[in-house]
């Protein structure tokens, strides 16, 4: 994989927290805003400018690496998540979004495909990534894979 999903996700989250705090500062003091959201956005606002600059550089590097990787292939097929789905009341695995972040960081078109359930009956999925602008081709390829893979609801 051309870039580390965990570090890309954390960089994007830090930037979102910082920008979210600035954009929503007047609203954050209103009743009904959770303490958890306030704390999350305030965390980003407290970070030094150098750390934010580093996060932007990490996203740019990930973007460039993925764009280079996409120049050699039509599509990438990856798991949607590093593990199967988990029970609703379970703790969310910290790496849950580490594989879907690539499409966002590299501005790629992406689609997730449900796959057959395993022995534990918990679903899993695969995702296809293509260059932006190829969405129609992406959907046709996803439909063909779903049909031939026997995906649920294909």
């Amino acid at each position: 994989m051309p870039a580390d999903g965990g570090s890309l996700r954390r960089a994007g989250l830090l930037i979102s927290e910082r920008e979210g705090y600035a954009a929503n500062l007047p609203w954050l003091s209103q009743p009904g805003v959770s303490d958890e959201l306030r704390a999350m956005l305030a965390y980003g606002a407290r970070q030094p400018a150098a750390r934010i600059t580093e996060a932007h550089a990490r996203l740019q590097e990930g973007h460039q690496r993925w764009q280079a990787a996409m120049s050699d292939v039509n599509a990438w097929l990856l798991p949607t998540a590093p593990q199967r789905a988990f029970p609703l009341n379970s703790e969310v695995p910290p790496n849950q979004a580490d594989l879907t972040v690539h499409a966002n960081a590299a501005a790629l078109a992406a689609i997730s495909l449900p796959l057959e359930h395993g022995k534990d009956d918990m679903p899993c999925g695969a995702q296809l990534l293509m260059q932006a602008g190829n969405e129609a081709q992406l959907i046709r390829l996803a439909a063909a894979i779903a049909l031939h893979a026997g995906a649920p609801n294909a």
Side-chain angles (χ1 to χ4, degrees):
M1 209 169 309
D4 171 39
S7 68
L8 287 176
R9 180 183 51 77
R10 288 186 298 276
L13 180 59
L14 182 61
I15 293 166
S16 295
E17 290 166 338
R18 173 77 163 239
E19 293 177 359
Y21 183 83
N24 294 294
L25 187 56
W27 172 78
L28 287 174
S29 62
Q30 299 296 315
V33 177
S34 72
D35 291 340
E36 182 180 40
L37 178 60
R38 280 189 191 102
M40 181 179 69
L41 296 179
Y43 172 80
R46 289 191 310 270
Q47 300 309 302
R51 186 150 184 240
I52 303 302
T53 300
E54 182 181 304
H56 279 285
R58 178 68 188 112
L59 286 177
Q60 182 62 30
E61 176 193 354
H63 177 87
Q64 290 170 346
R65 290 177 70 181
W66 268 103
Q67 288 298 319
M70 294 302 297
S71 69
D72 294 336
V73 297
N74 290 330
W76 278 69
L77 177 66
L78 303 169
T80 300
Q83 62 279 323
R84 289 186 172 277
F86 44 90
L88 182 60
N89 295 328
S90 297
E91 189 172 323
V92 176
N95 63 348
Q96 182 64 19
D98 284 2
L99 299 178
T100 55
V101 70
H102 301 293
N104 293 324
L108 300 173
I111 191 168
S112 182
L113 305 163
L115 298 176
E116 290 285 333
H117 293 197
K119 295 176 189 174
D120 62 0
D121 202 35
M122 297 304 284
C124 66
Q127 63 176 319
L128 284 169
L129 306 175
M130 283 185 158
Q131 287 287 1
N134 293 324
E135 288 80 5
Q137 182 183 359
L138 179 68
I139 291 169
R140 285 192 299 274
L141 180 57
I145 290 172
L147 182 65
H148 293 291
N153 302 319

